[in-house]
């Protein structure tokens, strides 16, 4: 059975756009022009564009395009290279860096036929759960201008949630696809390590970052994954066929909502949505039981902090060498500079010890999937934070514990290489979207998407539009 949406207009998502293109009711040029109009209308309030590429997109829309998503407008995060466009990683220090070649995943997006109208905003160098930087400023959430759209994929998430484009590129190193999707009421799938184009050689636990998308519907995320995944023989997994139908069997699900570092419950609004999701799953025939962490939460947080701080200072140096532009703390926002200072306290021995602890936790986590099919958590422990809470002018050590408590459910899947999806299962007490996360064993994206189709049919989250909406009515 294929999921069918009762949409308000044929431009609502990729599937509807493709049908309109195939029927001759529109053209890629018309879709791109309309997306640019929407972007210009909404960006003045939301600030999701790092670098516009409007004229290039218009030129591409006039050219013949192939691929399963040919002619669909999108946006690409300011974190992967697009030849001839700025690639600043959200950093003032890199504002003059222009990519000389496309990244492998950029080429996969182009092969799928998608047309990017702009590079979307992100926090400086990507390590934040909000999208605020001295380069672009504050990116805001279309559900509430006082709140963050998440991060580091917040720019694309804000644009999709506001109806500017149906789907946008996102990337995820410690949760950033899911951390963008949840606050904006979107679907956000983090693929398995080694699944995607450009990731074929990724096998190490420290290969954390993967690419994907955020979208308003499950079928858009499924279409994006099918079109951009690697088909190389060296990839970790055989290519997935397009997933189009809900799950047709009962799954064993373990539900865990405790904040890892403190052992406390999430806030009442998140708890309410979480347990409602558990109830829905039970009514759908799934076997849901209480989950327990396979490792000590406090110990895990200490190891995670050591890794984040030690890895950040090492990765900044690696990025600087890669692009040939010196990156020194004096050129960075205060938050990044203080994170580098913390990282310099993590010597090689301490960093190696953190890695060993992470390896043990990953092994224990993966072993649990022999007992169940799905690990279920909130995406965040509270409703989405207000802008400024994790701002660039706040020292890293002054926000670290709050940040890890807020966003600490997602990181384990990056280390484990497991796929994970955040779904918009409800709203907080203040009417803001709340995401619930579902993870499974490596290579299991088809199971997550099939479950997501089933939950989408039950909840119909795509019917909800934020107050700032640029899409067709």
């Amino acid at each position: 059975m294929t999921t069918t949406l009762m949409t308000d207009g044929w431009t609502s998502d990729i599937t509807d756009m493709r049908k309109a293109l195939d029927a001759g009711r529109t053209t890629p040029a018309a879709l791109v022009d309309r997306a640019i109009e929407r972007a210009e209308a909404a960006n003045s309030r939301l600030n999701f564009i790092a670098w516009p590429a409007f004229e290039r997109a218009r030129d591409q829309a006039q050219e013949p395009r192939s691929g399963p998503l040919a002619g669909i407008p999108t946006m690409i995060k300011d974190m992967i290279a697009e030849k001839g466009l700025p690639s600043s990683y959200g950093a003032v220090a890199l504002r003059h860096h222009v990519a000389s070649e496309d990244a492998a995943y950029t080429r996969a997006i182009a092969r799928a036929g998608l047309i990017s109208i702009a590079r979307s905003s992100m926090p400086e160098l990507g390590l934040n759960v909000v999208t605020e930087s001295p380069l672009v400023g504050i990116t805001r959430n279309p559900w509430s201008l006082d709140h963050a759209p998440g991060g580091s994929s917040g720019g694309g998430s804000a644009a999709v949630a506001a109806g500017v484009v149906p789907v946008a590129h996102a990337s995820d190193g410690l949760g950033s696809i899911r951390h963008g999707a949840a606050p904006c009421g979107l679907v956000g799938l983090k693929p398995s390590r080694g699944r995607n184009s450009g990731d074929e050689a990724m096998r190490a636990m420290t290969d954390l970052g993967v690419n994907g998308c955020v979208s308003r519907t499950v079928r858009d995320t499924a279409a994006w994954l099918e079109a951009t995944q690697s088909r190389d023989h060296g990839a970790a997994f055989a290519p997935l066929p397009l997933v189009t139908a809900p799950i047709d069997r009962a799954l064993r699900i373990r539900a865990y909502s405790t904040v890892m570092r403190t052992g406390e419950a999430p806030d009442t609004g998140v708890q309410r949505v979480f347990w409602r999701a558990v109830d829905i799953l039970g009514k759908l025939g799934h076997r849901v039981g209480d989950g327990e962490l396979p490792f000590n939460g406090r110990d895990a947080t200490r190891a995670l902090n050591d890794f984040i701080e030690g890895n950040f200072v090492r990765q900044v140096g690696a990025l600087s060498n890669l692009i040939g532009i010196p990156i020194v703390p004096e050129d960075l926002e205060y938050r990044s500079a203080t994170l580098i200072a913390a990282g310099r306290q993590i010597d090689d021995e301490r960093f190696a010890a953190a890695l060993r602890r992470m390896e043990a936790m990953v092994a224990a986590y993966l072993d649990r999937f022999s007992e169940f099919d799905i690990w279920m958590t909130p995406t965040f422990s509270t409703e989405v934070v207000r802008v400024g809470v994790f701002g660039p002018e706040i020292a890293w050590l002054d926000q670290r514990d709050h940040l890890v408590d807020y966003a600490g459910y997602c990181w384990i899947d990056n280390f484990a290489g497991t796929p994970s999806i955040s779904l918009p299962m409800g709203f907080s007490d203040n009417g803001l979207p709340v995401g619930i996360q579902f993870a499974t064993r490596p290579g299991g994206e088809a199971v997550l998407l099939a479950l997501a189709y089933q939950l989408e049919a039950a909840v119909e989250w795509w019917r909800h539009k934020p107050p700032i909406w640029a899409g067709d009515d």
Side-chain angles (χ1 to χ4, degrees):
M1 181 180 70
T2 301
T3 299
T4 300
L5 302 186
M6 299 291 292
T7 54
D8 290 332
W10 54 262
T11 56
S12 62
D13 74 352
I14 286 175
T15 303
D16 289 334
M17 286 184 177
R18 286 300 313 160
K19 288 178 180 177
L21 287 166
D22 292 343
R25 297 198 303 271
T26 190
T27 64
L31 291 179
V32 166
D33 280 341
R34 182 71 182 102
I36 291 170
E37 290 173 4
R38 292 166 171 163
E40 291 177 323
N43 189 61
S44 61
R45 301 184 70 186
L46 300 177
N47 195 33
F48 49 74
I49 293 177
W51 307 99
F54 296 159
E55 293 312 310
R56 191 178 85 153
R58 288 188 171 109
D59 290 342
Q60 290 177 346
Q62 297 293 339
E63 301 168 356
R65 301 188 72 78
S66 59
L69 307 181
I72 304 298
T74 188
M75 296 175 67
I76 292 180
K77 185 177 174 181
D78 189 26
M79 198 169 188
I80 62 171
E82 290 182 86
K83 183 178 180 179
L85 293 182
S87 184
S88 61
Y89 295 80
V92 171
L94 302 180
R95 65 191 180 279
H96 299 306
H97 175 239
V98 175
S100 59
E101 298 292 339
D102 284 334
Y105 197 73
T106 304
R107 293 194 294 272
I109 293 171
R111 284 195 302 271
L114 292 147
I115 300 172
S116 178
I117 66 168
R119 292 180 65 78
S120 60
S121 59
M122 59 177 285
E124 185 173 88
L125 303 178
L127 192 65
N128 207 342
V129 295
V130 299
T131 301
E132 303 170 29
S133 74
L135 177 67
V136 175
I138 296 172
T139 300
R140 298 179 184 273
N141 193 321
W143 289 92
S144 167
L145 294 178
D146 293 331
H147 290 81
S152 63
S153 301
S157 297
V160 173
V164 173
V165 288
V167 64
H169 164 254
S171 62
D172 193 313
L174 286 172
S176 291
I177 292 175
R178 295 155 287 165
H179 289 161
C184 291
L186 303 177
V187 176
L189 172 69
K190 182 201 86 68
S192 301
R193 178 163 45 231
R195 163 73 70 190
N196 278 333
S197 296
D199 297 346
E200 291 86 355
M202 289 173 54
R203 294 294 188 275
M205 182 191 71
T206 50
D207 290 330
L208 302 178
V210 296
N211 290 292
C213 71
V214 289
S215 70
R216 292 192 296 277
T217 63
V218 177
R219 66 186 188 182
D220 274 9
T221 287
W224 179 288
L225 177 67
E226 192 279 332
T228 59
Q229 66 183 323
S230 177
R231 287 168 170 80
D232 191 282
H233 291 302
F237 306 98
L240 280 176
L242 180 63
V243 180
T244 61
I247 195 81
D248 59 0
R249 61 186 175 91
L251 298 173
R252 300 166 299 167
I253 300 173
R254 293 295 177 269
Y256 174 86
S257 61
T258 304
V259 178
M260 287 189 189
R261 184 182 70 91
T262 65
E264 297 176 355
D267 76 12
T268 56
V270 171
Q271 272 194 303
R272 172 177 47 76
V273 174
F274 184 77
W275 292 115
R276 177 175 178 264
V278 168
D279 183 61
I280 291 171
L281 289 163
K283 291 177 178 177
L284 291 170
H286 301 293
R287 301 190 296 273
V288 187
D290 290 338
E292 294 182 2
L293 277 183
F295 45 77
N296 181 279
R298 286 185 178 274
D299 290 345
T301 302
R302 284 192 288 268
L304 177 65
N305 288 340
D306 279 359
F307 176 85
I308 288 173
E309 292 160 9
N311 192 58
F312 186 76
V313 70
R314 289 162 172 81
Q315 289 301 312
V316 167
L319 175 62
S320 181
N321 292 334
L322 176 67
I323 64 178
I325 298 176
I327 304 173
V328 296
E330 292 75 20
D331 295 332
L332 298 175
E333 67 188 23
Y334 184 59
R335 179 184 186 275
S336 297
T338 57
L339 177 50
I340 287 175
R344 287 176 173 164
Q345 303 304 308
I346 311 295
D347 60 23
D348 289 346
E349 182 178 353
R350 185 172 168 185
F351 189 61
L355 286 175
R356 288 193 296 272
R357 295 199 299 275
M358 300 304 292
E359 287 171 351
M361 288 183 285
V362 163
Y365 179 67
L366 289 172
D367 184 63
R368 286 292 179 88
F369 283 106
S370 63
E371 304 170 9
F372 53 76
D373 302 302
I374 300 290
W375 178 250
M376 172 186 177
T377 71
T379 308
F380 288 124
S381 65
T382 70
E383 74 172 11
V384 57
V385 295
R386 290 180 174 272
V387 298
V389 169
F390 297 124
E393 73 285 351
I394 302 173
W396 164 251
L397 292 180
D398 289 340
Q399 61 176 245
R400 182 185 65 185
D401 286 350
H402 182 192
L403 188 151
V404 173
D405 289 350
Y406 172 64
Y409 297 103
C410 291
W411 58 267
I412 186 61
D413 293 300
N414 294 87
F415 285 95
T418 39
S420 177
I421 193 167
S422 179
L423 300 176
M425 294 299 295
F427 292 87
S428 73
D429 295 342
N430 293 313
L432 299 174
V434 172
I436 302 299
Q437 178 185 223
F438 303 87
T440 193
R441 55 186 63 86
E445 288 91 338
V447 172
L448 292 182
L449 288 167
L451 175 61
Y453 273 121
Q454 189 180 49
L455 290 171
E456 182 180 53
V459 177
E460 297 186 338
W461 52 68
W462 47 270
R463 291 187 180 277
H464 300 286
K465 296 186 177 75
I468 297 178
W469 174 254
D472 289 347
D473 294 326

